[in-house]
Amino acid sequence: MQIKMLLGCAALAIMGTSAIANAAPPPLDAYGELPAVTDMAISPTGRLATIVELQGERRIIAMDHDGAMLINAPTGEAKLRGLVWADDDILLITNSATVSLGPYFTASKYELTGTIIVSTKDRDAQLVFSRTSSIADTTRGSYGIRKIDDTTVGYFGGIALDVGSGGPRFRHGRATLYAVDLARNRAKRAAGPPAENHYSDWLIDAAGNVAATLDVAEGDGLWRIRNVKGREIARGVDKTGNVSLLCFGKDGSTIVYAIEDQDGNRRWFEIPLAGGSPDEFLADVRIERTYVDRATGRIFGYRERGSTPKTVMYDPKVDSAVGRIFEAFDGRSPRLMDWTPDFSKVLVRTSGNNDSGTWYMVNLATRRADPIGDERSNILPEDVGPISTVDYVAGDGLEMDGILTLPPGREAKNLPVILLPHGGPSSHDEADFYWWSQAFSSHGYAVFQPNFRGSTNRDDAFRRAGYGQWGRKMQTDITDGLAELAKRGIVDPKRACIVGASYGGYAALAGVTLQQGYYRCAVSVAGVSDIELMYKTDLLESGQSRMTGRALREELGDPKSYDEISPRRFARQADAPVMLIHGKDDTVVPFKQSHVMADALKDAGKPYELIELEGEDHWLSRGETRKQMLRAAMRFVQKYNPTD
């Protein structure tokens, strides 16, 4: 299937006007701005909806099949996380807000998620549960959308309230499962909350029944799966709670669940809903993602991770169609984002070399792929720095890799370099367009994103190799990557800075405190500086959950050693200037982590800057503060590690 660059009316509304040519690199703000297209979704009959920025304003747009506008509404300051069609007339939009719940809660602020129901018929918008005074206006998980007797029903976790003369109060923090008539926004209880110090997960079958319930006891880690009749069909013990329900099997008579075995390997099992012996599911396959039917919750395919990724669909016709899509976009890092139930139309997103993020509507019947969304129209293909994967070996012999981004049009020789470790740390980087690394490469820097041990791009043994290695081997994995690039002559190791966010921010601080002699500067965005403080904060905010404590100790090691890996405790050893950037509304890594690091650097007489991002969260969700962060980080890096 050949990709055709043919734009219809609907595409033009979303694509906007691209820059014709860039004699000079794009302005820095072009990288720091939120993408012009945040998300897209396609309805069962092919209607399109998107969160898009038009003329400097973020909007929700929904269009009919012929491109006629159904909805065109501004979003204001709302932090929109995604959207999905519940049916042909109802959109569900996920948002979040940072809120304070008062003195009786363990955290000063929480990031609460809401689900907005938008009707294309009357253009009405309202939060799920807003018509039910006994349920808080926040959703705690989405468990599917089902068609029940011609009624579209959404299943959501919700927080029950006690309604009295003093106003509504939280009954407890455990989620109850509700079935919501989306056209009327009326909720009824589908399953009760778990017992105290337990948590639950649910699978909803095609008929709207709670077909499987997972219950996990936080105290001893005992977990049980029960079917619709309450019969126990599986059980086990995992003291860190690494068990979850995934989906139904392909014919709906089984369920698939995931556990972590005693060796730390994540394994999937399939078991009949009626009961029986579990069978291991896709035992020898490294799964990148699964494809699940939104109407039934049944798996219908998966994509296998590897040097040559493979997609398998159980329906031969769908398998053939999807194979043609991946062939057509070969070399563009395509991702299937949404599709009609018959797979006649598919939304595909691409990014990577020569591509700063593009959305396509693929019509299998006409064999056309039309670009309908450009995430960064001011960054042209020639502006995108070359992206590649670099394999290397750590000092102890462990094989790993990282993503290298080079400055456009410059020889890859003795370049100044930015080490940009990812957050998580249970995450990984891929050879895609990444706005932060591309911003630095556009200003003349090579950028290396190491997938250090503990990352999720390899097997379970590699992920678990990071346990207990914060500030230790996870840190030296980064400098081993720097050494590899220097060995190849690509970078000048004497002109290196380290920059990162979240765990990457921790690694940036550790790079100039726990390590010395590698970096000219460090920029930590929302980074952890004190491991003991993080441990105590996470434990407190979990309600002193023993399961949370065990999981933290498994990842971080013995609490007695936390001072040994805390950059704050080694501020006097800092051998390069430090910039600390942190959002005041961060609910993941509290602002206090940067504040105490700033105090330690000040007391030690070390050069540092602290930049507070007002109203910003952990994910840099605001366009203006994201650009503020990028400008500050670039200024700091250019000051201490100039390209010339």
PDB file of all heavy atoms in Angstrom, residues 263-282:
ATOM      1  N   ASP A 263      11.245 -15.893  40.651  1.00  0.00           N
ATOM      2  CA  ASP A 263      12.497 -15.431  40.050  1.00  0.00           C
ATOM      3  C   ASP A 263      12.381 -14.020  39.495  1.00  0.00           C
ATOM      4  O   ASP A 263      13.334 -13.511  38.883  1.00  0.00           O
ATOM      5  CB  ASP A 263      12.924 -16.384  38.930  1.00  0.00           C
ATOM      6  CG  ASP A 263      13.240 -17.779  39.457  1.00  0.00           C
ATOM      7  OD1 ASP A 263      13.813 -17.877  40.564  1.00  0.00           O
ATOM      8  OD2 ASP A 263      12.901 -18.757  38.772  1.00  0.00           O
ATOM      9  N   GLY A 264      11.223 -13.399  39.697  1.00  0.00           N
ATOM     10  CA  GLY A 264      11.038 -12.035  39.226  1.00  0.00           C
ATOM     11  C   GLY A 264      10.639 -11.922  37.770  1.00  0.00           C
ATOM     12  O   GLY A 264      10.662 -10.824  37.206  1.00  0.00           O
ATOM     13  N   ASN A 265      10.239 -13.038  37.150  1.00  0.00           N
ATOM     14  CA  ASN A 265       9.818 -13.008  35.755  1.00  0.00           C
ATOM     15  C   ASN A 265       8.316 -12.770  35.664  1.00  0.00           C
ATOM     16  O   ASN A 265       7.532 -13.417  36.372  1.00  0.00           O
ATOM     17  CB  ASN A 265      10.167 -14.325  35.055  1.00  0.00           C
ATOM     18  CG  ASN A 265      11.659 -14.580  35.021  1.00  0.00           C
ATOM     19  OD1 ASN A 265      12.429 -13.703  34.650  1.00  0.00           O
ATOM     20  ND2 ASN A 265      12.078 -15.773  35.425  1.00  0.00           N
ATOM     21  N   ARG A 266       7.924 -11.857  34.805  1.00  0.00           N
ATOM     22  CA  ARG A 266       6.504 -11.597  34.590  1.00  0.00           C
ATOM     23  C   ARG A 266       5.962 -12.634  33.624  1.00  0.00           C
ATOM     24  O   ARG A 266       6.460 -12.794  32.512  1.00  0.00           O
ATOM     25  CB  ARG A 266       6.307 -10.184  34.053  1.00  0.00           C
ATOM     26  CG  ARG A 266       6.595  -9.126  35.107  1.00  0.00           C
ATOM     27  CD  ARG A 266       6.460  -7.728  34.556  1.00  0.00           C
ATOM     28  NE  ARG A 266       6.664  -6.728  35.602  1.00  0.00           N
ATOM     29  CZ  ARG A 266       6.833  -5.433  35.380  1.00  0.00           C
ATOM     30  NH1 ARG A 266       6.815  -4.976  34.139  1.00  0.00           N
ATOM     31  NH2 ARG A 266       7.006  -4.595  36.374  1.00  0.00           N
ATOM     32  N   ARG A 267       4.901 -13.297  34.047  1.00  0.00           N
ATOM     33  CA  ARG A 267       4.332 -14.371  33.241  1.00  0.00           C
ATOM     34  C   ARG A 267       2.833 -14.173  33.122  1.00  0.00           C
ATOM     35  O   ARG A 267       2.179 -13.703  34.052  1.00  0.00           O
ATOM     36  CB  ARG A 267       4.654 -15.733  33.868  1.00  0.00           C
ATOM     37  CG  ARG A 267       6.148 -15.996  33.995  1.00  0.00           C
ATOM     38  CD  ARG A 267       6.441 -17.195  34.882  1.00  0.00           C
ATOM     39  NE  ARG A 267       5.962 -18.442  34.302  1.00  0.00           N
ATOM     40  CZ  ARG A 267       5.979 -19.606  34.946  1.00  0.00           C
ATOM     41  NH1 ARG A 267       6.460 -19.670  36.190  1.00  0.00           N
ATOM     42  NH2 ARG A 267       5.529 -20.700  34.377  1.00  0.00           N
ATOM     43  N   TRP A 268       2.303 -14.562  31.961  1.00  0.00           N
ATOM     44  CA  TRP A 268       0.875 -14.460  31.700  1.00  0.00           C
ATOM     45  C   TRP A 268       0.273 -15.858  31.695  1.00  0.00           C
ATOM     46  O   TRP A 268       0.869 -16.806  31.169  1.00  0.00           O
ATOM     47  CB  TRP A 268       0.623 -13.798  30.345  1.00  0.00           C
ATOM     48  CG  TRP A 268       1.007 -12.350  30.285  1.00  0.00           C
ATOM     49  CD1 TRP A 268       1.707 -11.639  31.206  1.00  0.00           C
ATOM     50  CD2 TRP A 268       0.714 -11.440  29.222  1.00  0.00           C
ATOM     51  NE1 TRP A 268       1.876 -10.345  30.792  1.00  0.00           N
ATOM     52  CE2 TRP A 268       1.266 -10.193  29.567  1.00  0.00           C
ATOM     53  CE3 TRP A 268       0.045 -11.553  28.010  1.00  0.00           C
ATOM     54  CZ2 TRP A 268       1.164  -9.072  28.746  1.00  0.00           C
ATOM     55  CZ3 TRP A 268      -0.063 -10.447  27.185  1.00  0.00           C
ATOM     56  CH2 TRP A 268       0.489  -9.210  27.558  1.00  0.00           C
ATOM     57  N   PHE A 269      -0.933 -15.955  32.252  1.00  0.00           N
ATOM     58  CA  PHE A 269      -1.643 -17.229  32.284  1.00  0.00           C
ATOM     59  C   PHE A 269      -3.068 -17.034  31.790  1.00  0.00           C
ATOM     60  O   PHE A 269      -3.665 -15.974  31.977  1.00  0.00           O
ATOM     61  CB  PHE A 269      -1.657 -17.807  33.698  1.00  0.00           C
ATOM     62  CG  PHE A 269      -0.315 -18.319  34.158  1.00  0.00           C
ATOM     63  CD1 PHE A 269       0.569 -17.476  34.814  1.00  0.00           C
ATOM     64  CD2 PHE A 269       0.065 -19.623  33.913  1.00  0.00           C
ATOM     65  CE1 PHE A 269       1.814 -17.928  35.227  1.00  0.00           C
ATOM     66  CE2 PHE A 269       1.310 -20.085  34.319  1.00  0.00           C
ATOM     67  CZ  PHE A 269       2.187 -19.242  34.982  1.00  0.00           C
ATOM     68  N   GLU A 270      -3.600 -18.096  31.184  1.00  0.00           N
ATOM     69  CA  GLU A 270      -4.985 -18.106  30.722  1.00  0.00           C
ATOM     70  C   GLU A 270      -5.712 -19.219  31.460  1.00  0.00           C
ATOM     71  O   GLU A 270      -5.203 -20.336  31.561  1.00  0.00           O
ATOM     72  CB  GLU A 270      -5.037 -18.334  29.214  1.00  0.00           C
ATOM     73  CG  GLU A 270      -6.437 -18.248  28.629  1.00  0.00           C
ATOM     74  CD  GLU A 270      -6.428 -18.353  27.110  1.00  0.00           C
ATOM     75  OE1 GLU A 270      -5.432 -18.870  26.550  1.00  0.00           O
ATOM     76  OE2 GLU A 270      -7.412 -17.919  26.481  1.00  0.00           O
ATOM     77  N   ILE A 271      -6.901 -18.903  31.970  1.00  0.00           N
ATOM     78  CA  ILE A 271      -7.658 -19.882  32.735  1.00  0.00           C
ATOM     79  C   ILE A 271      -9.127 -19.774  32.371  1.00  0.00           C
ATOM     80  O   ILE A 271      -9.640 -18.669  32.139  1.00  0.00           O
ATOM     81  CB  ILE A 271      -7.446 -19.670  34.259  1.00  0.00           C
ATOM     82  CG1 ILE A 271      -8.000 -20.846  35.048  1.00  0.00           C
ATOM     83  CG2 ILE A 271      -8.044 -18.356  34.734  1.00  0.00           C
ATOM     84  CD1 ILE A 271      -7.568 -20.852  36.511  1.00  0.00           C
ATOM     85  N   PRO A 272      -9.852 -20.905  32.279  1.00  0.00           N
ATOM     86  CA  PRO A 272     -11.280 -20.842  31.970  1.00  0.00           C
ATOM     87  C   PRO A 272     -12.059 -20.132  33.074  1.00  0.00           C
ATOM     88  O   PRO A 272     -11.762 -20.307  34.265  1.00  0.00           O
ATOM     89  CB  PRO A 272     -11.692 -22.312  31.874  1.00  0.00           C
ATOM     90  CG  PRO A 272     -10.427 -23.058  31.592  1.00  0.00           C
ATOM     91  CD  PRO A 272      -9.355 -22.297  32.317  1.00  0.00           C
ATOM     92  N   LEU A 273     -13.048 -19.354  32.676  1.00  0.00           N
ATOM     93  CA  LEU A 273     -13.893 -18.685  33.664  1.00  0.00           C
ATOM     94  C   LEU A 273     -14.675 -19.688  34.505  1.00  0.00           C
ATOM     95  O   LEU A 273     -15.014 -19.408  35.665  1.00  0.00           O
ATOM     96  CB  LEU A 273     -14.852 -17.732  32.963  1.00  0.00           C
ATOM     97  CG  LEU A 273     -14.274 -16.372  32.573  1.00  0.00           C
ATOM     98  CD1 LEU A 273     -15.173 -15.675  31.569  1.00  0.00           C
ATOM     99  CD2 LEU A 273     -14.086 -15.501  33.807  1.00  0.00           C
ATOM    100  N   ALA A 274     -14.947 -20.836  33.943  1.00  0.00           N
ATOM    101  CA  ALA A 274     -15.676 -21.862  34.685  1.00  0.00           C
ATOM    102  C   ALA A 274     -14.791 -22.578  35.691  1.00  0.00           C
ATOM    103  O   ALA A 274     -15.283 -23.326  36.546  1.00  0.00           O
ATOM    104  CB  ALA A 274     -16.277 -22.877  33.711  1.00  0.00           C
ATOM    105  N   GLY A 275     -13.481 -22.339  35.618  1.00  0.00           N
ATOM    106  CA  GLY A 275     -12.542 -23.005  36.506  1.00  0.00           C
ATOM    107  C   GLY A 275     -11.734 -24.052  35.765  1.00  0.00           C
ATOM    108  O   GLY A 275     -12.137 -24.552  34.710  1.00  0.00           O
ATOM    109  N   GLY A 276     -10.589 -24.393  36.310  1.00  0.00           N
ATOM    110  CA  GLY A 276      -9.716 -25.368  35.672  1.00  0.00           C
ATOM    111  C   GLY A 276      -8.265 -25.008  35.906  1.00  0.00           C
ATOM    112  O   GLY A 276      -7.941 -24.157  36.749  1.00  0.00           O
ATOM    113  N   SER A 277      -7.394 -25.635  35.161  1.00  0.00           N
ATOM    114  CA  SER A 277      -5.962 -25.398  35.319  1.00  0.00           C
ATOM    115  C   SER A 277      -5.513 -24.268  34.408  1.00  0.00           C
ATOM    116  O   SER A 277      -5.902 -24.224  33.236  1.00  0.00           O
ATOM    117  CB  SER A 277      -5.173 -26.671  34.990  1.00  0.00           C
ATOM    118  OG  SER A 277      -5.539 -27.725  35.850  1.00  0.00           O
ATOM    119  N   PRO A 278      -4.676 -23.362  34.915  1.00  0.00           N
ATOM    120  CA  PRO A 278      -4.175 -22.278  34.067  1.00  0.00           C
ATOM    121  C   PRO A 278      -3.092 -22.774  33.120  1.00  0.00           C
ATOM    122  O   PRO A 278      -2.305 -23.652  33.459  1.00  0.00           O
ATOM    123  CB  PRO A 278      -3.611 -21.275  35.075  1.00  0.00           C
ATOM    124  CG  PRO A 278      -3.234 -22.102  36.259  1.00  0.00           C
ATOM    125  CD  PRO A 278      -4.208 -23.237  36.306  1.00  0.00           C
ATOM    126  N   ASP A 279      -3.068 -22.209  31.932  1.00  0.00           N
ATOM    127  CA  ASP A 279      -2.017 -22.483  30.962  1.00  0.00           C
ATOM    128  C   ASP A 279      -1.232 -21.201  30.730  1.00  0.00           C
ATOM    129  O   ASP A 279      -1.815 -20.107  30.666  1.00  0.00           O
ATOM    130  CB  ASP A 279      -2.608 -22.959  29.637  1.00  0.00           C
ATOM    131  CG  ASP A 279      -3.281 -24.318  29.748  1.00  0.00           C
ATOM    132  OD1 ASP A 279      -2.717 -25.199  30.429  1.00  0.00           O
ATOM    133  OD2 ASP A 279      -4.364 -24.493  29.157  1.00  0.00           O
ATOM    134  N   GLU A 280       0.075 -21.354  30.577  1.00  0.00           N
ATOM    135  CA  GLU A 280       0.871 -20.162  30.309  1.00  0.00           C
ATOM    136  C   GLU A 280       0.498 -19.595  28.942  1.00  0.00           C
ATOM    137  O   GLU A 280       0.289 -20.337  27.977  1.00  0.00           O
ATOM    138  CB  GLU A 280       2.359 -20.464  30.386  1.00  0.00           C
ATOM    139  CG  GLU A 280       3.207 -19.215  30.457  1.00  0.00           C
ATOM    140  CD  GLU A 280       4.501 -19.398  31.219  1.00  0.00           C
ATOM    141  OE1 GLU A 280       4.836 -20.543  31.572  1.00  0.00           O
ATOM    142  OE2 GLU A 280       5.173 -18.383  31.472  1.00  0.00           O
ATOM    143  N   PHE A 281       0.416 -18.274  28.869  1.00  0.00           N
ATOM    144  CA  PHE A 281      -0.072 -17.583  27.678  1.00  0.00           C
ATOM    145  C   PHE A 281       1.080 -16.832  27.027  1.00  0.00           C
ATOM    146  O   PHE A 281       1.733 -16.012  27.676  1.00  0.00           O
ATOM    147  CB  PHE A 281      -1.191 -16.616  28.077  1.00  0.00           C
ATOM    148  CG  PHE A 281      -1.899 -15.945  26.935  1.00  0.00           C
ATOM    149  CD1 PHE A 281      -2.784 -16.655  26.145  1.00  0.00           C
ATOM    150  CD2 PHE A 281      -1.686 -14.606  26.659  1.00  0.00           C
ATOM    151  CE1 PHE A 281      -3.451 -16.041  25.100  1.00  0.00           C
ATOM    152  CE2 PHE A 281      -2.339 -13.977  25.617  1.00  0.00           C
ATOM    153  CZ  PHE A 281      -3.238 -14.700  24.819  1.00  0.00           C
ATOM    154  N   LEU A 282       1.349 -17.129  25.749  1.00  0.00           N
ATOM    155  CA  LEU A 282       2.427 -16.484  25.000  1.00  0.00           C
ATOM    156  C   LEU A 282       3.749 -16.529  25.781  1.00  0.00           C
ATOM    157  O   LEU A 282       4.437 -15.517  25.955  1.00  0.00           O
ATOM    158  CB  LEU A 282       2.058 -15.031  24.673  1.00  0.00           C
ATOM    159  CG  LEU A 282       0.791 -14.837  23.826  1.00  0.00           C
ATOM    160  CD1 LEU A 282       0.483 -13.351  23.669  1.00  0.00           C
ATOM    161  CD2 LEU A 282       0.939 -15.492  22.462  1.00  0.00           C
TER     162      LEU A 282
END
